[in-house]
């Protein structure tokens, strides 16, 4: 499951719920008019009336802004009738000028909001390519996912994951592209799409890694050769054969997975390094696959470096291994919910990098109820 948030169009033309903030231009108008009528003329509160349409431009559409400016103008004319020496002409001219400027400012603001909304829709669609909906259970294997964006408004990044149930077993991919934004998402999409095909075709993880390397290299060929060393990805490939009791791991420069076995934690460091994606031409394409025992009840955690690089107020990194070792036996969803909660608490609610994680468990045979329905795959926010 991914912590999700769905975009909705901004309500326009005043049809949204009325709040004190949205009514503040009206409140300001009433306050200024009341003070102008009840205080001595020397205080000249009426000269503040142009502030009302100026404030309205920051939150209202064009027509309501113009209507409020018109109301302010008539109020000023009424004040001029009651107090002939109030300097009505100058203030009225100021109201007209500010209202025209406010209407234009409101129009520009709405256009920018619409453009931003469309960009965010595109970003959501692009993120769905990388983080597609994923079932929670493949046979006896439970899998849950977590994605957290570093910024509240961010919905797109270079972290990616995918799971496929193949004839060779359940295969998982998690990785992180160097950089952020659309270029990183393009690289992530190329890698994920390649995995979705190769996972069913290649008999071993090394073959999948070579396919991912080829796709990443082809995608990067469109960019300047000088940027090659800046366009790479780390990744972990995991294969859990059906009814085998083992899992196989190929680590391409990614943070090592963690395995919790009845309270004992193992950091699954690779026995030999494998090249990062898009760097095999520089350092060779020698891939190393490790085989690890995987028993019912074991919890496997795959994650991106945003987890271990989350900092507290003193600059200390999140102690993931220590945290994982202290977790009680449970389901993958419970583990990721706890990780989500403790990461936000540790960092004070602010994350410096996007975070993706997969939690995997081999279920006890005939000991637990069926898992829940498939989970969604939208981008989330911290």
């Amino acid at each position: 499951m991914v912590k999700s948030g769905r975009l909705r169009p901004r309500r326009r033309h005043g049809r949204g719920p009325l709040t004190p903030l949205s009514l503040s231009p009206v409140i300001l108008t009433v306050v200024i008019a009341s003070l102008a009528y009840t205080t001595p003329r020397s205080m000249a509160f009426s000269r503040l009336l142009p502030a009302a349409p100026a404030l309205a431009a920051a939150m209202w559409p064009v027509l309501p802004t113009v209507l409020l400016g018109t109301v302010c103008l008539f109020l000023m004319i009424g004040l001029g009738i009651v107090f002939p020496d109030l300097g009505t002409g100058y203030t009225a001219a100021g109201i007209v000028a500010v209202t025209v400027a406010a209407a234009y400012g409101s129009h520009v603001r709405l256009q920018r909001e619409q453009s931003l909304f469309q960009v965010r829709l595109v970003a959501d669609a692009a993120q769905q390519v990388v983080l597609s909906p994923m079932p929670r259970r493949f046979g006896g294997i439970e899998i849950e996912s977590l994605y957290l964006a570093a910024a509240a408004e961010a919905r797109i990044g270079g972290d990616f994951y995918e799971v496929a149930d193949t004839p060779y077993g359940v295969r998982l991919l998690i990785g992180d592209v160097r950089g952020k934004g659309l270029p990183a998402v393009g690289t992530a999409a190329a890698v994920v799409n390649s995995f979705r095909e190769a996972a069913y075709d290649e008999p071993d993880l090394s073959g999948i890694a070579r396919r991912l390397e080829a796709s990443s290299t082809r995608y990067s060929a469109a960019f300047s050769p000088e940027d090659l060393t800046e366009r790479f990805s780390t990744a972990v490939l995991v294969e859990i054969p059906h009814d085998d009791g083992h899992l196989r791991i190929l680590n391409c420069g990614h943070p090592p997975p963690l395995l919790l076995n009845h309270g004992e934690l193992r950091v699954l460091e690779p026995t030999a390094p494998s090249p990062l994606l898009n760097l095999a031409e520089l350092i060779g394409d020698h891939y190393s696959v490790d085989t690890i025992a995987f028993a019912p009840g074991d919890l496997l955690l795959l994650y991106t470096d945003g987890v271990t690089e989350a900092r507290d107020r003193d600059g200390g990194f999140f102690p993931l291994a220590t945290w994982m070792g202290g977790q009680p036996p449970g389901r993958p969803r419970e583990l990721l919910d706890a990780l989500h909660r403790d990461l936000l608490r540790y960092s004070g609610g602010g994350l410096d990098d996007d975070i993706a994680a997969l939690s995997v468990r081999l279920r006890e045979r005939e000991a637990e109820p069926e898992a829940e329905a498939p989970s969604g795959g939208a981008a989330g926010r911290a």
Side-chain angles (χ1 to χ4, degrees), residues 249 251 268-274 288-292:
I249 299 177
N251 193 326
L268 304 182
E269 296 279 0
T271 55
S274 297
S288 173
V289 178
D290 296 303
T291 301
I292 309 293

Side-chain angles (χ1 to χ4, degrees), residues 201-248:
D201 299 337
E202 297 294 337
D204 56 61
L205 295 182
S206 298
I208 298 177
R210 290 186 175 88
R211 292 271 291 272
L212 302 186
E213 168 70 21
S215 295
S216 180
T217 301
R218 283 195 298 268
Y219 178 81
S220 299
F223 300 95
S224 171
E226 289 77 13
D227 297 335
L228 179 61
T229 57
E230 297 297 321
R231 297 187 179 278
F232 62 84
S233 308
T234 64
V236 168
L237 290 165
V238 177
E239 178 181 277
I240 309 175
H242 299 295
D243 300 322
D244 183 75
H246 292 82
L247 54 84
R248 301 181 182 92

